[in-house]
Structure formats: C-alpha cells, structure tokens
Amino acid sequence: MPSRKKTSMFASAFCTCVSSFVVICVVLATPRWVSSEVRFSRTGSNVTISLTYGLFSGTCEQFVDAGLQVSKTTFQVAEALGSSSSSRSLNVATIVVLVLALLSSLLSSAFTCTNAVSNPYQTFLGPVGVYTWNCLCGILTLIAMILFPVNVEGSRMSEELAHGCSSSLQTHLGSKHSYGYSYWIMLLILVLNVASLIVIYFYDHARYSKKKEQERPIENAPKDVILF
C-alpha cells in the first residue's frame, strides 16, 4: 500500500487531471469560441453578418444598413464549409487535437488514480507516466489554441461561414473577431496540467531526498565498520 503522503499528493493530482478532462469536454461542447462581425456590400445596401460559433455549430444574424435585423439562423460548421476548404481542414485538425488532449487527460487521471491506491512496479506507470501524459495534454491544448485563431484570421473562416448565411454578398468590407469563453478556458487546462506536474514533482523530489538521506549514513561510516 502507498504511504499516506503519496496517496494525498496523487489524489490531489488526480483531482486536477479530472478537472482538466471536464474542461476539455466543455470546450468541445460549447459554441462560444468566437463572435465575428463580417461586413459586405450588396446591391443598394451594406450587410453585416454577425456570427457566433464553435467547432461544431453556431448561429448567424443578418443586419442591413441601419441595423435592421433580417434573420437569425443556426448552422453546422462542417456543412457550411466546403469539403475542399482549408478552413474545414484546420477545423477538423483542431477537433482531432482536442480529442487527443482529452484522451491524454483521461490517461493521466488513470495513472494518478493508480498511484494513489497502489505502488506500480513498472516505472512508466509511476510519476514518469504522469509527467508524459500531462505534458502531452498541455502541448496539444496549446496547439489547438494556435490552430483556431490561424483558421479564423488566416483562412478567413468567418467570411466563408457568412457566405453560407446569406446570398448575394459581394465585396468584403471588413471583419471584427472577439474570442469567447469556450476558447479562453483552454488556458485553465494548461494551468491544471501545470498544477498536476508541480504536485508530482514535489512528491518525486521529496522521495529522492529521503532516499539520499537513507544512503548517507553508509557513505559517512568509518571504513573499518564497513569492512566488518
């Protein structure tokens, strides 16, 4: 059975890993990744398309000239983007990266739970495994945080979605983007992963220091005693 100190520390790391798992689920499920206002010219008027969307679905509203609201509709991101679109490819890549981060977080939770209730013989099932899966989860989350803005700003994802919300749009006049809570709470995932790493590091460091202290009496013992 593990010591009480080890159980408490790995239990704390388990709580942070589970919290990370829950936050990733929230990130994937909620459609508040970005809000965009995309302005176009159309024959005889200017049109503003207001979009709020996530990785899977979103809503769009159409405003003509002096703020007259024409319609509000919901859409599926995958259907609104063309099959050969670079925006669709990057959106799929973001989803895949977050799913991998979700699996990494789940494995990290399993490893911390295992160490909280037992002493695994395999090295990789111990702190090394927790370090690995937490680091992987953090790196994948960071990649997702980079991919999505690149898609919105670089591949003009909002403009492409706006064309699916309204017909007869002509010249693009400008766009404004504001990232929502579904995007920013990914920072919380990074914080939780770092917290898990810190907890396990302190446990590992304390264990190493205790091992060195146990070896020190033998190192400092007189040679005749050692020979005896």
Side-chain angles (χ1 to χ4, degrees), residues 9 11 15 21 36 44 51 57-58 61 71 82 97 114 121 128 130 143 145 148 154-155 170 175 177 180 184-185 202:
M9 297 194 78
C15 291
F21 178 84
S36 301
L51 301 156
S57 64
E61 299 176 83
S71 62
V97 166
T114 300
Y121 292 106
V128 174
V130 179
I143 291 172
M145 291 191 73
F148 189 75
S155 297
Q170 296 176 353
S175 302
H177 309 290
W184 291 115
I185 59 174
F202 277 116

Side-chain angles (χ1 to χ4, degrees), residues 143-219:
I143 291 172
M145 291 191 73
I146 295 170
L147 282 177
F148 189 75
V150 167
N151 200 5
V152 174
E153 308 283 350
S155 297
R156 299 183 176 181
M157 184 179 180
S158 294
E159 294 173 32
E160 193 170 343
L161 292 171
H163 280 284
C165 292
S166 179
S167 58
S168 305
L169 297 177
Q170 296 176 353
T171 306
H172 174 241
L173 301 177
S175 302
K176 291 191 300 181
H177 309 290
S178 175
Y179 295 94
Y181 71 86
S182 298
Y183 176 79
W184 291 115
I185 59 174
M186 285 194 285
L187 291 173
L188 180 58
I189 300 171
L190 298 177
V191 171
L192 290 169
N193 278 278
V194 170
S196 298
L197 291 173
I198 290 173
V199 170
I200 302 305
Y201 170 78
F202 277 116
Y203 163 75
D204 215 16
H205 181 71
R207 185 183 63 170
Y208 178 77
S209 299
K210 185 177 180 180
K211 184 178 178 181
K212 281 296 184 182
E213 287 177 3
Q214 291 174 345
E215 293 174 353
R216 195 170 299 158
I218 298 176
E219 294 173 356

Side-chain angles (χ1 to χ4, degrees), residues 63-113:
F63 300 90
V64 180
D65 288 336
L68 176 64
Q69 183 177 347
V70 176
S71 62
K72 181 177 181 178
T73 58
T74 60
F75 61 89
Q76 298 299 313
V77 173
E79 295 176 2
L81 298 173
S83 58
S84 59
S85 167
S86 60
S87 295
R88 183 172 184 176
S89 299
L90 282 173
N91 192 60
V92 171
T94 305
I95 294 170
V96 170
V97 166
L98 280 175
V99 169
L100 291 175
L102 188 70
L103 294 175
S104 299
S105 182
L106 183 62
L107 285 168
S108 183
S109 300
F111 276 46
T112 51
C113 182

Side-chain angles (χ1 to χ4, degrees), residues 121-135:
Y121 292 106
Q122 296 87 348
T123 304
F124 187 72
L125 293 178
V128 174
V130 179
Y131 288 143
T132 301
W133 294 118
N134 269 279
C135 288

